Amino acid sequence: MRAKEIAPKVYEIDILNASDEELKEINESMGLALSLEEMKKLQKFFISLGRNPTDIEIHAIAQGWSEHCSYKSSKPVLRKYIFGIPSKHALIVMQDDAGVVEFNDEYAYVFKIESHNHPSAVEPYGGAATGVGGIIRDILNMGAKPIALVDPLFFGPPDYPYENLNPGIKHPLYLMQGVIAGIRDYGNRVGIPTIAGITYFHEDFVNNILVNAGCLGIVRKDKIVRSVVSKAGLKFVLMGGRTGRDGIHGVNFASKILTEKSEEERQAVQLGNPIIKEPLIHAILEANDAGIIKGMKDLGGGGLGSVIGEMCHAGGVGAEVHLDKVLLKERNMAPWEIWVSESQERMLLAIEEKDIEKIREICEKWDIEMSVIGQSVEGSYLDIYWYGEHIVHLPLEFVTAGVEYERPYKIKKIEKMQEIPKEPNYRNVLLSLLSSYNIGSKEWIIRQYDHEVQGRTVLKPLQGIINYETHGDAAIIKPLKDSWKGLAITTAANPQIGKIDAYKGALYTVDEAIRNLVAVGARPHSFSDGLNFGNPEREEIMGEFHESCRGLGDAARFLGIPYVSGNVSFYNEAFGRNIPPTPVLMAVGIIDDIRKAVSADFKKDGNSIYIVGETREEMGGSEYYKLIGAKSTLAPEVNLEELKGRMEEILKAMNKNLITSCHDISHGGLAVALAEMSIGGNIGVEIDLSSMGFMRADFKLFSESPTRWVCEVKRGKEEEFERIVKARRIGAVEGENLKVRDGNRWLFNIHTNILRGSWRNALRNYLG
Amino acid sequence: MRVAILQIEGTNCEEESYTAFKELGQEVEYLHLNLLKKGKRNLEDYDILFIPGGFSAGDYVRAGAIFAARLKAIAMRALKDFVDEGKIIIGVCNGFQVLIELGLLPAVDGISEKPEAALMTNDSNRFECRWTYLKKENESIFTRDVPNIISLPVAHAEGKFVTEKKTLERVIENKQIAFKYVKPDGSRADYPWNPNGSMEDIAALTNPEGNVLGIMPHPERAFFPYQHPDWNRKERERGDGFWIFKSMISK
């Protein structure tokens, strides 16, 4: 690479005369993660200008063009399936850093889920913590107060043999403990309750874990701030943490596959600091209340470069930046490092010159540092100065608009087959399922997150009698003191069904999100999608991506629920193995009166038990088949008409206060759902499966067919319930045991304490 | 009454606490430590000082230690006067830790120079967020309107009250124990009913004079009935934490 220093720590790179080999070398040695095609496009551009670029110019462009910033592989697919689902409630959709949806006349809620996979695989504690920090800023920069966090996590099995790990890959247990500690220490310190999530274990995630984090906030509609600078002369105020060398090239790192050398990229992982964030939240909200923020964006992936570029480009103005004004953590940083650094806890505000004193005052009160680093200008160019030297002069369009690819894709053919196992010992199967790590109690994790802080959590993640609680389907937040209206929040994903059939897996994921929200009495309202996939340069992975998006789109469009925000994480590949397609949904529902919320624990002796929805012999992806080692490619199939019908019926019955507990049927099937409800209520139930028709009892008990719920109905209200909901009565709450028969044949009879013991032991063996 | 809710970076239960006093019609305001430091506000202008929960200054050393050290440097004289005048100080969770670090609790022989007790790492060795049952042990201005057994949530990693045997004896003798963790029926607690392994199942303490309270569970998170996890099983007109706030402001 030929380079010459033209200003202190600024080099001009000879790209005009570079051969293909040299272009590759430039890409490699500067850590750009661009393809040769993209390097050539860059070269052509500078040939047309008739000059060589500076190093900072190349870095600025590479960052804008990274998969992470530009969505170059995903955008055409998203546009086709995910974007543009009509909704009269959605206010800001897929534009800024988070979606904004109407809550009531005066308020809106703001939310988004995104991934922090690669950093967490290399540095679990820091990676997960900054994942949380980043998503909080995405909510904050819309002017909203963050009030809830969620965290779907996917790891290899906790008992995975050490000797089977690939070089450089860390053990699932180590990763999980680090990730959970990172989320705990960040979320708890910053004072936002973590109220929902998933912890899922499978060998498919040994090489490449997934750490997704979602946040929801609330904002008065007239206080919503956009990530746009739409006039010249506004000052850029950079506030919060200082800029350092942590997180250099994070987005480029995220747009590569993981290898055994990934450890060397630890410096691409940013370092979070919740104790800067906590007062930063106060300061931002105070400045927003004062009405002085004209545009705002958080510094996440891509750092200053993408923030200033995107904000000004969106508003049709140019930008003038003085990098020597940026407050640094360490001396001797080169300007290109300052420009791309992803150091955490920083926000960029566009402020009128007359309001600079006011923002300075607010920052002083909260002990927050700030500096004015430039301003918006007429025109469409990005100009950067370094101690007076002009070191960047580029059209914003070229830097931020990036590239887009219609990547080739191949949809895989699915051969239908299903093994039929011998009839099992039902008691053993149920207890084994309850103590398996995907079904067993996640109490060890959930209790380490403060889910009560802010005092808004009116339906908890753990539900039931105190110290006997079971898993709830969704949590409910009551955002406003003077309104009974609540927001139900849940997350859903099912990688094993997606692995068989990406389309059906996506439908199932939507179905599960709906089930969870309906189970607590909330009307599904909007989604945020976290799309985790393998390497998009492989045709079959792009095929999965297409099929998943088609499924997500079909289901949501049919139901009239929009995707208002989201994130795509590609390149989840390591050692030649890709993760299964894993679209993760963060779903939000509205409950008009939180006093009508329904929890998952059985309530009272004598109440009737119903199953809602059809059970089918489709065992593909089920925990039961995994347990007994049977194979099936018959993935559960969602019927959207049924989903819509049952949803409306259950919500109607809940509104009439007929249902005292409700739980969706998912992992482990009906048997596990009943057991969990018994565990939480510390009360037994007697069940007869015969009304479910003619089918093997193990399929009745362990099938994971979609669109199903167990409802406990108030004694004496059965007829009214049956008039509203299409359901079958299968038993009643009674005694201390879970007793199940199919007609005359008893299948098992297990005391609630034994169920709870098995269920609680699932992770205890690994975590203490 | 005029209530100050003390803030520094990392305190994070101030809004719920503010709401509680506001609902009871009190004159309440946030008081950032920097305002005291710069002399823009004075402690003597308030009747109640509330130190909320959170992770003050990150709690990267012993919980509450940094907050207490800064408070000491800025306002120890004023704090002593505040206590001596019989005004009310309440520290919740991290606030309790701060009061111990300051020597305002247990203060068996008056305010101590050095901490006489500690809120140690939980026996489980991890942060735990769960609901507990508490039994009122002694009457004070913090408990006069509180029912015998109440339920409040804890959320902490360091809440195990420990002290020397002699100090503990004095604490008991002086009737300083405000609340103990119990089982739902009021009987002696074991884990998880006592969530941290606290000596004598101590959940909350007052000073001997009874005008300073430190409490690990969060009354401000149980101010309204629907904040309780069992609202669908048990009807309440008020959240259990309400009664602690009510007691403080009763004349």
Coordinates of all heavy atoms in Angstrom, one line a residue, chain A residues 123 180 462 650 654 702 732 752:
Chain A
E123 N -16.6 -11.4 23.2 CA -16.5 -10.8 24.6 C -17.9 -10.8 25.2 O -18.6 -9.8 25.1 CB -15.9 -9.4 24.4 CG -14.9 -9.1 25.6 CD -15.7 -8.9 26.9 OE1 -15.8 -10.0 27.6 OE2 -16.1 -7.8 27.2
I180 N -25.4 -13.1 30.3 CA -26.4 -12.8 31.3 C -25.9 -11.7 32.3 O -26.6 -10.8 32.7 CB -26.9 -14.1 32.0 CG1 -27.7 -14.9 31.0 CG2 -27.7 -13.7 33.3 CD1 -28.0 -16.3 31.4
L462 N -42.4 -13.7 35.8 CA -42.7 -14.9 36.5 C -44.1 -14.7 37.2 O -44.3 -13.7 37.8 CB -41.7 -15.2 37.6 CG -40.3 -15.6 37.1 CD1 -39.2 -15.5 38.2 CD2 -40.3 -17.0 36.5
I650 N -60.9 -15.5 22.2 CA -60.3 -15.5 23.5 C -60.3 -14.1 24.1 O -60.6 -13.9 25.3 CB -58.8 -16.1 23.5 CG1 -58.9 -17.6 23.2 CG2 -58.1 -15.8 24.8 CD1 -57.6 -18.2 23.1
M654 N -62.0 -13.0 27.6 CA -61.3 -12.3 28.6 C -61.9 -11.0 29.0 O -61.9 -10.6 30.2 CB -59.8 -12.1 28.2 CG -59.0 -13.4 28.3 SD -57.3 -13.2 27.8 CE -56.6 -14.8 28.1
F702 N -47.8 -34.0 23.4 CA -46.5 -33.4 23.2 C -46.4 -32.7 21.8 O -45.4 -32.1 21.5 CB -45.4 -34.4 23.3 CG -45.4 -35.1 24.7 CD1 -45.6 -36.5 24.7 CD2 -45.3 -34.4 25.8 CE1 -45.6 -37.1 26.0 CE2 -45.4 -35.0 27.1 CZ -45.5 -36.4 27.1
A732 N -60.7 -30.3 34.9 CA -61.0 -29.3 35.9 C -59.8 -29.2 36.9 O -59.0 -30.1 37.1 CB -62.3 -29.6 36.7
T752 N -47.6 -31.9 42.2 CA -47.1 -30.6 41.8 C -45.7 -30.4 42.2 O -44.9 -29.8 41.5 CB -48.0 -29.5 42.4 OG1 -49.4 -29.9 42.2 CG2 -47.9 -28.2 41.6

